[in-house]
């Protein structure tokens, strides 16, 4: 932290408070102006409503009709500019005040609450007058509209349109009052990062609600949790202050904000959650060769904007650096991570009882109820062909003595008709259940309740559900795909089956051997392996990357 004497801090704080007081002195004058304008407008309209147009010419009426909303709008804009200036000063003062209190070993003040309460106490009458003025302005605009609705000329319709536009603009300006807290935080963090040389990262993802149940959505929440274990400060608000950005999605908004940050010389980190190989044959529109070709070109253009690409696995890094993509941007491998403590905690017997109750509450009349003694095989993921859902359903048909449960959900709108048809036809398979999406707490219990975790995905960039199964000490059967080759060994950490070469008959035999105890368990070695991807270690890696990019690479943009 920069060394500044307490006397200098107090001097800076006094100057800031003086600026705040000088700015707030302008409020009464502005309020008086608004009240005067409203008085003039009310007088004119009283005359208009009495149909006494002898004293007021039509030209004056038209002038008021157009100029009054403009006047109110300009005054409102000026007020909000002053409010913003005061809010920014408050934020910087809060930082200085916090510094003083830290040095004197006093409790850090709740500056946000303090300043809001102080502002209301000192400016209560002014705020009340401003609110009344705003309401009166809206009422007068309503009178304008009602007055002109009685006219049928094109000119009157034109005037109504102008008035409605002004009304919307006034509403938009009024909304700015709610942003004062945002401006205080902006100024506070700017001062903090400047003086203490700390990292404040924007974790950016677009369409958060849509992707919340996907792997990319999970990765964002995992990053936030990983950074809680470090000194890194993070925000999800792109309007907030930050000195590095970490992007998880690949859409147009992601591209635009990445380019904007590059222009401002803010380091841009992008995690390559998505590649063409796991994009195609997933959702309905991804089966088109033309779409696949366009998507690959977009990825090449998008990833080239980054200062650094984080690959979730060695497989993704090698693929992006290879001849297929040829990306020259620096790439480093950092796992998405897993909360080992969450998925390893709990009593398997109690967890199974809770899962059985939950599943049975979801089962309809065409399905068999689950018993505690039943052998359970689970799959986790979206309803995608790439995830191996077809093979999961087919193997369930061939093994009616076991219960097969698939956790996850995808709206029918996004998946091909053949997958929709396939899932609808599972009503005839009594031992196969689709309970839908569940939260991470229930999912952790589901892993521990399962006898086998069956992951037959044909392509993954890492496979978050695999990490979760390993942390839960669940016996795994994985499809043999390149992403696992570098770190998950067959018959050491799991059992692999190559669906390209083997049939479902071989898979059936493997499942039976594992459940019957004929295969050696691999769960302990898998658990030891996944500890290296615990969120605490992932957080430390991310923190090191952010600090290096901001400070060591000469890209300090604070």
């Amino acid at each position: 932290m920069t060394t500044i004497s307490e006397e200098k801090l107090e001097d800076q704080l006094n100057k800031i408070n003086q600026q705040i007081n000088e700015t707030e002195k302008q409020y009464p004058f502005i309020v008086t102006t608004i009240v005067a304008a409203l008085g003039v407008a009310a007088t004119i309209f009283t005359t208009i409503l009495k149909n006494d147009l002898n004293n007021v010419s039509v030209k004056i009426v038209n002038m008021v009709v157009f100029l009054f909303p403009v006047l109110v709008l300009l005054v409102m804009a000026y007020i909000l500019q002053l409010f913003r200036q005061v809010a920014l000063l408050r934020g910087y003062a809060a930082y200085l005040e916090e510094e003083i209190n830290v040095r004197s070993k006093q409790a850090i003040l709740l500056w946000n609450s303090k300043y809001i309460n102080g502002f209301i106490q000192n400016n209560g009458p002014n705020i009340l007058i401003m609110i009344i003025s705003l309401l009166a302005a809206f009422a007068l605009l309503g009178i304008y509209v009602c007055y002109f609705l009685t006219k049928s000329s094109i000119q009157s319709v034109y005037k109504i349109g102008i008035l409605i536009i002004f009304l919307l603009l006034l509403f938009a300006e009024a909304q700015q009052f709610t942003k004062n807290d945002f401006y205080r935080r902006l100024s506070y963090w700017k001062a903090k990062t400047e003086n203490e040389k700390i990292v404040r990262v924007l974790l950016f993802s677009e369409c958060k609600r849509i992707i919340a149940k996907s792997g990319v959505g999970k990765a964002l929440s995992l990053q936030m949790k990983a950074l809680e274990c470090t000194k890194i400060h993070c925000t999800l608000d792109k309007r907030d202050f930050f000195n590095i950005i970490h992007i998880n999605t690949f859409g147009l908004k992601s591209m635009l904000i990445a380019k904007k940050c590059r222009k401002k010389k803010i380091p841009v980190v992008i995690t390559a959650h998505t590649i063409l190989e796991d994009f195609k044959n997933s959702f309905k529109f991804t089966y088109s060769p033309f779409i696949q070709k366009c998507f690959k070109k977009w990825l090449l253009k998008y990833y080239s904007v980054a200062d650094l690409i984080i690959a979730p696995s060695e497989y993704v890094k090698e693929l992006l650096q290879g001849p297929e993509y040829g990306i020259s941007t620096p790439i480093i491998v950092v796992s998405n991570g897993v909360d080992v403590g969450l998925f390893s905690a709990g009593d398997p017997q109690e967890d199974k009882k809770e899962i059985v109750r939950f599943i049975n509450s979801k089962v309809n009349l065409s399905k068999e109820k689950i018993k505690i003694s039943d052998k359970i095989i689970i799959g986790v993921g979206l309803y995608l062909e790439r995830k191996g859902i077809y093979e999961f359903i087919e193997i369930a048909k061939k093994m009616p003595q076991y219960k097969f449960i698939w956790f996850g959900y995808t709206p029918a709108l996004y998946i091909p008709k053949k997958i929709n048809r396939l899932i609808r036809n599972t009503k005839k398979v009594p031992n196969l259940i689709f309970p839908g999406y569940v939260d991470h707490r229930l999912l952790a219990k589901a892993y521990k309740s399962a006898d086998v975790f069956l992951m037959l995905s044909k392509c993954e960039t890492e496979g978050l559900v695999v990490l979760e199964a390993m942390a839960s000490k669940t016996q795994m059967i994985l499809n043999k795909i390149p992403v696992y080759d570098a770190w998950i060994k067959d018959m050491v950490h799991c059992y692999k089956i190559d669906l390209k070469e083997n049939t479902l008959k071989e898979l059936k035999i493997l499942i039976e051997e594992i459940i019957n105890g004929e295969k050696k368990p691999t769960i302990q070695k898998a658990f030891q392996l996944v500890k290296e991807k615990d969120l605490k270690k992932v957080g430390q890696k991310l923190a090191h990357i952010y600090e290096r990019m901001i400070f060591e690479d000469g890209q300090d943009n604070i």
Side-chain angles (χ1 to χ4, degrees):
M1 185 183 293
T2 307
T3 304
I4 306 175
S5 66
E6 187 167 333
E7 290 77 14
K8 189 173 181 180
L9 282 171
E10 289 178 345
D11 184 53
Q12 287 180 344
L13 183 59
N14 291 332
K15 288 180 180 178
I16 293 293
N17 286 327
Q18 187 177 356
Q19 284 182 273
I20 291 171
N21 293 331
E22 289 175 0
T23 306
E24 288 182 344
K25 284 179 182 177
Q26 300 179 55
Y27 289 167
F29 170 74
I30 296 165
V31 172
T32 305
T33 304
I34 292 178
V35 173
L38 289 170
V40 172
T43 302
I44 293 173
F45 262 91
T46 302
T47 307
I48 293 171
L49 293 175
K50 288 180 179 180
N51 294 320
D52 184 9
L53 297 177
N54 296 325
N55 298 325
V56 183
S57 69
V58 175
K59 288 185 178 180
I60 293 177
V61 172
N62 286 334
M63 182 181 70
V64 172
V65 167
F66 285 103
L67 292 184
F68 178 71
V70 175
L71 175 64
V72 173
L73 191 64
L74 290 175
V75 174
M76 279 291 301
Y78 185 60
I79 289 176
L80 293 170
Q81 183 62 30
L82 290 177
F83 276 12
R84 177 181 178 180
Q85 183 180 345
V86 169
L88 291 169
L89 291 170
R90 293 290 192 198
Y92 189 61
Y95 172 73
L96 295 173
E97 198 161 53
E98 181 181 279
E99 280 288 284
I100 293 171
N101 281 279
V102 168
R103 287 166 183 268
S104 59
K105 296 183 180 180
Q106 296 176 8
I108 297 174
L109 292 177
L110 297 174
W111 55 271
N112 193 23
S113 174
K114 172 191 171 184
Y115 283 135
I116 290 173
N117 291 333
F119 178 75
I120 291 173
Q121 288 173 4
N122 297 330
N123 298 278
N126 290 343
I127 292 172
L128 183 62
I129 293 172
M130 274 187 274
I131 292 172
I132 294 172
S133 302
L134 272 174
L135 292 174
F138 281 114
L140 283 174
L141 285 171
I143 293 172
Y144 284 150
V145 174
C146 293
Y147 176 73
F148 286 114
L149 279 175
T150 61
K151 309 294 182 180
S152 58
S153 65
I154 295 176
Q155 185 181 10
S156 298
V157 175
Y158 170 73
K159 289 177 181 178
I160 291 172
I162 294 294
L163 290 171
I164 291 173
I165 291 172
F166 279 127
L167 186 65
L168 293 174
L169 288 173
L170 272 174
F171 179 74
E173 291 287 356
Q175 290 285 82
Q176 296 295 317
F177 279 111
T178 62
K179 293 187 178 179
N180 286 340
D181 181 61
F182 160 71
Y183 288 127
R184 276 193 293 274
R185 286 188 292 110
L186 188 74
S187 179
Y188 176 83
W189 281 108
K190 188 174 188 299
K192 193 173 181 67
T193 49
E194 282 177 344
N195 287 284
E196 299 182 24
K197 297 295 180 185
I198 64 172
V199 176
R200 186 159 170 81
V201 59
L202 169 62
L203 297 177
F204 183 81
S205 290
E206 50 189 311
C207 305
K208 291 185 182 70
R209 290 184 181 179
I210 296 175
I211 67 170
K213 297 178 181 180
S214 69
V216 178
K218 278 187 178 181
L220 175 63
S221 60
L222 287 172
Q223 286 167 5
M224 293 174 61
K225 195 164 185 178
L227 292 174
E228 288 176 3
C229 308
T230 69
K231 295 181 180 180
I232 304 296
H233 302 272
C234 65
T235 177
L236 299 178
D237 189 345
K238 65 180 180 181
R239 304 168 305 166
D240 214 336
F241 183 82
F242 57 93
N243 50 3
I244 188 169
I245 182 171
H246 187 164
I247 306 175
N248 289 283
T249 44
F250 56 83
L252 181 60
K253 287 184 180 179
S254 300
M255 172 71 88
L256 292 176
I257 196 170
K259 286 187 173 182
K260 185 178 179 181
C261 289
R262 286 294 296 268
K263 286 182 181 179
K264 292 182 177 180
K265 297 184 178 179
I266 295 175
V268 177
V269 179
I270 296 176
T271 294
H273 293 295
T274 307
I275 53 177
L276 176 62
E277 286 70 15
D278 77 334
F279 173 80
K280 60 186 180 182
N281 300 337
S282 291
F283 299 100
K284 187 182 293 184
F285 57 90
T286 63
Y287 284 76
S288 166
F290 175 73
I291 295 292
Q292 293 173 10
K293 185 177 179 181
C294 293
F295 182 74
K296 185 176 180 180
K297 286 183 178 179
W298 173 262
L299 282 184
L300 290 172
K301 184 178 180 181
Y302 172 59
Y303 286 147
S304 65
V305 176
D307 293 296
L308 177 72
I309 295 173
I310 291 180
S313 61
E314 287 291 343
Y315 163 70
V316 174
K317 179 181 178 180
E318 292 172 5
L319 197 65
L320 295 180
Q321 290 180 331
E324 193 71 22
Y325 288 83
I327 292 175
S328 57
T329 305
I331 302 176
I332 188 169
V333 177
V334 179
S335 170
N336 288 308
V338 63
D339 189 343
V340 174
L342 171 67
F343 285 94
S344 61
D347 181 359
Q349 293 298 323
E350 292 300 319
D351 289 342
K352 187 167 185 177
K353 289 178 183 178
E354 183 174 346
I355 286 296
V356 167
R357 285 195 299 269
F358 171 76
I359 297 297
N360 286 337
S361 69
K362 298 284 184 179
V363 169
N364 56 39
L365 296 176
S366 64
K367 301 291 182 180
E368 297 174 352
K369 295 280 186 179
I370 297 181
K371 302 174 184 176
I372 296 293
S373 58
D374 285 339
K375 300 299 181 181
I376 298 175
I377 294 96
I378 70 167
V380 182
L382 300 175
Y383 296 164
L384 305 179
E385 182 181 349
R386 173 177 64 82
K387 292 290 185 181
I389 192 168
Y390 172 80
E391 290 81 5
F392 189 88
I393 292 172
E394 290 302 310
I395 196 65
K397 292 177 182 178
K398 295 179 180 297
M399 306 185 76
Q401 70 273 32
Y402 303 136
K403 295 297 188 293
F404 286 77
I405 306 172
W406 183 282
F407 292 94
Y409 176 75
T410 307
L413 179 66
Y414 302 139
I415 54 180
K417 290 182 179 179
K418 63 178 182 179
I419 300 297
N420 274 319
R421 194 181 307 114
L422 185 69
I423 293 170
R424 284 199 304 269
N425 290 339
T426 58
K427 294 178 181 178
K428 301 174 183 178
V429 187
N431 65 319
L432 176 59
I433 302 169
F434 288 90
Y437 178 83
V438 297
D439 61 34
H440 60 274
R441 184 190 68 83
L442 266 178
L443 188 58
K445 294 178 184 293
Y447 283 121
K448 291 192 283 289
S449 304
D451 295 277
V452 175
F453 170 67
L454 187 59
M455 181 65 168
L456 302 176
S457 179
K458 299 170 180 66
C459 182
E460 294 289 334
T461 53
E462 182 179 29
L464 281 174
V465 294
V466 172
L467 302 185
E468 291 169 354
M470 294 169 76
S472 303
K473 298 182 181 179
T474 306
Q475 183 60 59
M476 301 188 299
I477 297 178
L478 306 179
N479 188 19
K480 191 175 183 181
I481 54 177
V483 70
Y484 305 133
D485 289 346
W487 66 291
I488 300 180
K489 304 300 181 185
D490 187 19
M491 295 186 290
V492 178
H493 307 111
C494 70
Y495 287 97
K496 296 182 182 180
I497 185 164
D498 192 343
L499 290 179
K500 292 181 180 179
E501 299 178 0
N502 297 279
T503 63
L504 292 178
K505 184 178 179 180
E506 281 77 19
L507 176 58
K508 178 184 175 183
I509 294 170
L510 179 58
I511 292 173
E512 288 175 340
E513 288 177 342
I514 290 174
I515 290 180
N516 294 332
E518 298 171 19
K519 290 284 187 180
K520 182 181 178 182
T522 61
I523 55 176
Q524 289 300 332
K525 289 185 178 179
F527 181 71
Q528 294 302 321
L529 180 65
V530 83
K531 280 184 178 179
E532 296 301 314
K533 298 182 183 291
D534 186 57
L535 287 184
K536 291 181 181 179
K537 295 186 178 182
V538 170
Q540 294 299 328
K541 289 180 181 178
L542 290 175
H544 176 72
I545 290 169
Y546 298 155
E547 289 168 352
R548 178 174 60 82
M549 292 197 69
I550 294 173
F551 304 123
E552 294 181 18
D553 288 353
Q555 293 179 342
D556 188 351
N557 309 290
I558 301 174

